[in-house]
Amino acid sequence: MMDLPMVAHKRARRPSLKAKAVDQLVQDGEGEEQALYVLEGATGMRISEALALEAKHFVNEGRTIEIRQQVDRDRPRIVRT
């Protein structure tokens, strides 16, 4: 038995978009913006993580993305995680 707190899923705050809204964003987006929406929808990564991605984070011939940094919430700077 694990000594963990009970999670009340109905009270947990998990903001998210419905699939229809994501589809609309992808359709309306263009170029890099559209690629960002697809990447976030397909991987579930946070916007701060997606904005900090660099080419070196795509490994295994592009099949794996390593999340090693994110954009700071308060200042426009990269923070290692």
Side-chain angles (χ1 to χ4, degrees):
M1 180 169 184
M2 297 177 73
D3 186 23
L4 298 173
M6 294 294 294
V7 176
H9 291 286
K10 290 185 178 183
R11 289 190 286 152
R13 187 165 183 266
R14 298 171 296 195
S16 61
L17 296 174
K18 303 282 185 210
K20 197 174 194 178
V22 174
D23 286 343
Q24 190 65 44
L25 282 171
V26 171
Q27 287 177 1
D28 293 346
E30 295 179 5
E32 292 177 354
E33 180 183 356
Q34 187 178 39
L36 177 65
Y37 296 144
V38 171
L39 178 70
E40 288 184 340
T43 63
M45 74 174 64
R46 298 176 178 100
I47 185 70
S48 61
E49 297 166 341
L51 292 175
L53 281 177
E54 298 178 26
K56 65 184 177 185
H57 298 130
F58 292 86
V59 297
N60 196 16
E61 297 178 6
R63 293 184 299 232
T64 305
I65 303 172
E66 294 180 336
I67 306 300
R68 301 207 175 256
Q69 59 193 24
Q70 65 185 23
V71 174
D72 190 357
R73 177 184 299 209
D74 300 322
R75 288 185 249 157
R77 65 183 178 117
I78 302 287
V79 179
R80 295 226 176 254
T81 56

